[in-house]
Every structure is written in C-alpha cells, then in structure tokens.
Amino acid sequence: MLKPVGLKPHGPPLASNLQGAPIVQQVSGRCRRQAQVARATISLERPLESVDAHSSNGTNGAEAQNSPLLDFDLQLPDMSKTVLGIILGGGAGSRLYPLTKKRAKPAVPLGANYRLIDIPVSNCINSNVNKIYCLTQFNSASLNRHLSQAYNANIGGYTSRGFVEVLAASQSPSSSKWFQGTADAVRQYLWLFENAMRDGVEDFLILSGDHLYRMNYQDFVNRHRVSGADITVAALPTDEKKASAFGLMKIDGSGRIVDFAEKPSGQALQDMRVDTTVLGLDPERAQQEPYIASMGIYVAKATAIRELLRNHFPQANDFGSEVIPGAKDMGFHIQAYLYDGYWEDIGTIEAFYESNLALTDNPTPKFSFYDKDAPIYTMSRFLPPSKVQDAEITDSVLGEGCVIRTGARVHHSVVGLRTLICEHCTVEDSLLMGADYYETLEECALIPGCLPMGLGPNTVVRRAIVDKNSRIGANCQIINKEGVQESNREKDGFVIKDGIVVVIKDSIIPDGTII
C-alpha cells in the first residue's frame, strides 16, 4: 500500500544577488507551492503501478486528473534532478526587428528592469527546475552575459549541479547547418541532452523565450507523469473570436489530443470545438471558451523525444506543426494540460509594446512582477534609486537609476534603467528602455554636440519605443505626426511598425527632429 508522506522542500537556495522578493519570502512561497503540487493523483487504496496503467490507456485520464481521491501528500520526484529545461530562443527575431538588430530575441528588455529570458528562467527556478539550456543562433553575446551574471552563481551547488547556459548553433560532425526550427534545434543538441539523461533526467520541459506568463511547471510535469503521456501540450482556453489566430487542438473525454488544426476558419474552426470541462474549466467558462490553443510549451519523456527526432522524424524542423501531430498519428500518447491564466506571445513589435504598457494598468495589471510567492528574477545591478525632481508621473513603471528632471510629464509609460528625461519633456504611451551604462563627460564629448543618452529638454515622445543608449536631442517630437503604419527609416535611426515609432539602439536623433 502507498502511504502518504509530508513534502519536504528541496532544491538549492537562491543567493541574494538575484533580484526578486526577499529570500525568506521566496523560500516560504516555494514550500507552499510544492505542498499544493504534492496533492498527488494517487489513492491510498491502490498501488502506484495500477495508477500508471489506469491513466495511460487513453480512456480514463480525465478521471485521474479530476478524481476526488487526489488529496494526499506524496513525496514527488526531485524535479531538479529529473527535468531538463530547454528554452527555444528563436532565430533572427525578424518580427521584433529592430529590437533584435544587436541582440538575441530572449535578451530584449522587458518591464523596465528585466529581459524576456527572465520569464521562463524564473518560472523554472520557482518550479525547482534548475538545469536550463537556452538555444539560440543569433547575436547571443548579450544573452550569454546576462545569463552568466544573473543566474549561474546562484542556482548550482555541490550536489544540485544547477546551471543556466546558452547553446548557440554551431557546426558538428552530424550537422553543419543553422537551426532550421524548434525540433531541429533540439535534435542538433541531443548528444548533450543524452548526457543529462544518463544523469537522471526523465523529462524535457520545452519552452519559448518570447512569452509573458507565470506558470507552475511542477503541476504541469506531475500531470504529464500521472497521465502516462509521451508528450503533454500546455493549452490555453479561448473563445471563437480569438481561436482562428492559434493552432488549435481537439481532445477526447480523457484530455488526450486527437486532432490539430493550424489557424482554422469557417467549418474547420467549428469542428475544433471541445468540452473544456474535461481539462478542469468550470461549465460557464467552458461555454464561453470552447476551444483550446497550443501555447508552444511542452513537457515530454526524454526517451520519446529522442526516438521521434532520431528515428521517426529525422528531417522534421518544427515541433508544433510536424513532430507532435506526426507522433499523434503514430499512436504516441499526446495529452493536453489546461493553463488558465495570463499568457501573451510577445513576438511582434505591437504585441511587445502592448504587453509592456499593460504592466501599468491601474489598479491591477493582468501580469505583475510583484508576486512574492513566484518572483521574476534578473541580474542585480546595484543601481541607485530613481530620482524624480519636480515632475509629474502617472500610471507608469520606473526602472532603477533613472533621473527625471523638473517640469517633465510621464504618463502610461514604462521607463527603463538609467533613463534620463530632461526638463519639460512629455512622455505618453511609450516604452523607454534606458541605457546600458552611465557615461562620463569624456565619453559624452566624443559625441557631436555632447548629446547625452536620454531625452533632451522639451522633447515629446508618444506611442513609441526608444531602445537603449539612444540620444534624442532637445525640442524633438517622436509622435508619428503623419500617422504612418509602416516605414523603414533605419538610416535616420528609426523605423515605424504597426504605427509605433521604434528608435533603434545607439541612435542619435538631432535637436528639433520631428517624426
């Protein structure tokens, strides 16, 4: 007979130079989350083997997930030893260009203090997944520097052997090509992941580097294991209006995926309606949101991924459109897992802009960095507090080390690290990313006119993104005066995408410029 045991907190402590909630709050929050996850899907009246057999036959998975018997504490496997996090950083990030002109997509700044990569890495750390690789092939220098300075000294230990590392595309005896897609990226590094399998890794947690959300992967992995699935796909409930923009999935009564459709419409869309109460959504919400969309987040048996990529789909490039649907057709057990929370794909300029400004929503934003139980970590920079002189700031987020001078007005904006906003500037509905460093007078003297990084006096910025280290002179207007939707003015230091002016990193915008 299986006896319940109390959950013991495990995993490496977090050192103090990760920015986030205080250490005591972090540890206590993690223990509470682990205790919630430890409500294991196992009855005291059955041995463990029978549960695995019962839930993996594809007919009673819903019973296993929603059983009233799931109320007993169980010692779960240590995810720090059995789960490998694989973050797919993407290629050149053309949809986010010019923000990706000089950096990898996961290194793009977010929310004043953070970078995109901090979201999946923090979710992993909060879920006790501390073996993490980020796969990328484009401008990875800043990403490498950020990860090594922010995490590697803090999540490993003598026994835990945790790490966060960048794996850039490189030539090898088996491949001399760039990553051709998500599946190809994982395939090219299977030789390294197999080393982790020999060290005890059982499951691969495959994540994206350009999503904004907060998720407990412990519950995700636990549901995957209890269902006996080969691959489990995180699914987002959605209504008919939004559904046609996603890759949709159809499930049976056990939550097992039986069909996929990529951005369907008309009758094909209607055919993808499902009963989302099977996955745990309440009946009222299930009526409003009868579709489930793939989030591009997967947990998979390591052995299944190796078999699929090596033997069955050696030429496939993408997980979502090739490997996973193909595995389903071959009879592999592909399960859906319901995520009912805030999630946003921020892979385009417009989505990135809107997601950042949504952080300023008053009184309660859809996503907040202020969560002591599941903080978002980043590199500790030891910057001074921001200084606001006689200025007006409303519904905005300020990063560290900013200086906002007399008469400036900032409304509904996100102001990043070390930003300088001079006298009588107006900033509305904008994202200012700030600067990578404080420059000296000698450094500024090298710039014609000694134009400092930031906004010069009397400048107006509306509905714009100003990338790091940009120098915008006095009396400028960055307002898209002509209402242009698309324009490539890269030689002039900016582009316009979706009606949003994007000032390129390190650009110089002379005094009096009107955009």
Side-chain angles (χ1 to χ4, degrees):
M1 302 293 288
L2 183 67
K3 297 182 179 180
V5 294
L7 181 73
K8 297 179 181 179
H10 47 67
L14 290 171
S16 59
N17 73 331
L18 279 179
Q19 291 187 345
I23 296 299
V24 172
Q25 293 177 334
Q26 293 171 6
V27 173
S28 63
R30 182 181 301 164
C31 292
R32 285 195 296 272
R33 289 192 301 280
Q34 290 175 337
Q36 293 168 359
V37 173
R39 302 293 179 185
T41 53
I42 294 181
S43 166
L44 288 179
E45 304 303 320
R46 294 186 267 145
L48 182 61
E49 294 86 340
S50 67
V51 174
D52 287 339
H54 178 74
S55 59
S56 63
N57 62 11
T59 59
N60 295 298
E63 287 183 14
Q65 290 189 20
N66 301 309
S67 168
L69 299 174
L70 314 185
D71 272 333
F72 303 99
D73 286 339
L74 174 74
Q75 183 73 45
L76 294 177
D78 187 350
M79 285 179 55
S80 67
K81 297 177 181 177
T82 61
V83 177
L84 179 68
I86 302 172
I87 301 172
L88 302 173
S94 57
R95 295 188 304 160
L96 268 178
Y97 193 86
L99 301 181
T100 53
K101 181 178 181 178
K102 298 183 178 181
R103 57 169 77 91
K105 183 164 56 174
V108 172
L110 171 74
N113 279 6
Y114 305 88
R115 294 179 185 259
L116 290 179
I117 191 64
D118 291 326
I119 301 301
V121 171
S122 297
N123 284 337
C124 283
I125 292 174
N126 292 331
S127 304
N128 201 32
V129 176
N130 67 358
K131 291 181 172 67
I132 306 164
Y133 286 116
C134 180
L135 276 59
T136 186
Q137 62 184 5
F138 184 81
N139 278 349
S140 58
S142 62
L143 177 63
N144 231 330
R145 182 171 59 250
H146 176 77
L147 292 179
S148 62
Q149 293 179 356
Y151 299 104
N152 273 343
N154 308 288
I155 71 169
Y158 182 73
T159 58
S160 62
R161 292 168 41 172
F163 56 82
V164 183
E165 296 181 4
V166 172
L167 297 178
S170 59
Q171 289 186 335
S172 68
S174 60
S175 177
S176 60
K177 298 179 180 179
W178 291 102
F179 298 150
Q180 302 301 306
T182 56
D184 184 61
V186 173
R187 182 190 297 109
Q188 288 196 35
Y189 273 104
L190 265 180
W191 62 270
L192 181 61
F193 302 153
E194 286 174 332
N195 291 339
M197 293 168 65
R198 286 191 287 271
D199 289 338
V201 165
E202 301 172 8
D203 296 294
F204 293 158
L205 181 63
I206 301 174
L207 310 169
S208 176
D210 59 358
H211 295 168
L212 181 60
Y213 65 110
R214 183 180 274 107
M215 184 174 178
N216 184 348
Y217 298 139
Q218 286 192 325
D219 185 54
F220 186 26
V221 173
N222 188 46
R223 293 291 182 92
H224 163 75
R225 290 176 174 175
V226 167
S227 71
D230 295 300
I231 301 173
T232 300
V233 182
L236 193 73
T238 186
D239 57 28
E240 185 168 334
K241 183 178 180 181
K242 299 176 182 177
S244 59
F246 292 98
L248 301 184
M249 301 174 289
K250 195 168 186 177
I251 56 174
D252 63 14
S254 68
R256 184 167 181 164
I257 298 173
V258 296
D259 197 10
F260 293 89
E262 184 65 25
K263 298 181 180 179
S265 60
Q267 186 57 46
L269 176 62
Q270 296 301 317
D271 292 341
M272 297 303 293
R273 294 174 68 96
V274 298
D275 179 8
T276 45
T277 61
V278 169
L279 300 177
L281 207 64
D282 65 76
E284 182 178 351
R285 287 278 309 284
Q287 287 288 331
Q288 299 170 356
E289 299 173 320
Y291 300 92
I292 52 173
S294 171
M295 296 168 59
I297 297 172
Y298 319 108
V299 59
K301 290 180 181 177
T303 52
I305 290 294
R306 179 173 60 185
E307 180 182 351
L308 287 167
L309 295 183
R310 284 261 175 83
N311 302 331
H312 302 298
F313 301 98
Q315 303 301 321
N317 292 328
D318 187 69
F319 276 116
S321 62
E322 297 176 86
V323 175
I324 295 179
K328 182 267 299 180
D329 293 339
M330 292 179 60
F332 281 76
H333 183 172
I334 314 297
Q335 190 78 12
Y337 169 86
L338 184 75
Y339 172 75
D340 188 18
Y342 175 81
W343 174 87
E344 190 67 44
D345 181 347
I346 48 181
T348 66
I349 289 293
E350 183 177 26
F352 177 79
Y353 170 83
E354 296 291 349
S355 296
N356 271 275
L357 291 197
L359 299 172
T360 70
D361 288 351
N362 190 13
T364 306
K366 294 179 180 178
F367 182 91
S368 173
F369 290 98
Y370 299 88
D371 188 332
K372 63 182 177 61
D373 288 342
I376 304 300
Y377 309 104
T378 192
M379 181 170 61
S380 185
R381 300 174 180 88
F382 306 106
L383 291 172
S386 290
K387 180 187 293 186
V388 179
Q389 297 173 354
D390 187 12
E392 178 184 343
I393 301 177
T394 54
D395 294 337
S396 297
V397 173
L398 295 185
E400 300 168 317
C402 301
V403 176
I404 303 177
R405 292 182 175 163
T406 300
R409 178 177 178 270
V410 179
H411 174 69
H412 192 230
S413 297
V414 175
V415 181
L417 302 161
R418 306 181 188 89
T419 295
L420 170 64
I421 300 177
C422 286
E423 294 83 0
H424 306 293
C425 285
T426 298
V427 180
E428 296 179 345
D429 305 323
S430 294
L431 168 60
L432 310 182
M433 291 188 177
D436 285 320
Y437 57 93
Y438 290 121
E439 63 182 348
T440 64
L441 290 176
E442 290 78 9
E443 290 170 327
C444 187
L446 299 175
I447 304 299
C450 192
L451 187 63
M453 291 186 291
L455 306 185
N458 304 305
T459 283
V460 178
V461 179
R462 289 196 182 96
R463 191 170 167 76
I465 299 173
V466 179
D467 207 340
K468 283 190 172 184
N469 307 336
S470 296
R471 303 169 189 271
I472 299 178
N475 302 302
C476 293
Q477 295 186 45
I478 315 297
I479 58 176
N480 193 4
K481 186 176 181 180
E482 304 297 328
V484 176
Q485 284 299 110
E486 304 288 332
S487 178
N488 188 348
R489 300 279 299 276
E490 195 166 339
K491 291 183 178 179
D492 298 320
F494 70 93
V495 301
I496 301 176
K497 281 192 171 183
D498 301 312
I500 302 165
V501 179
V502 183
V503 178
I504 299 169
K505 185 178 182 181
D506 300 316
S507 292
I508 299 176
I509 307 297
D511 292 350
T513 299
I514 298 177
I515 299 176

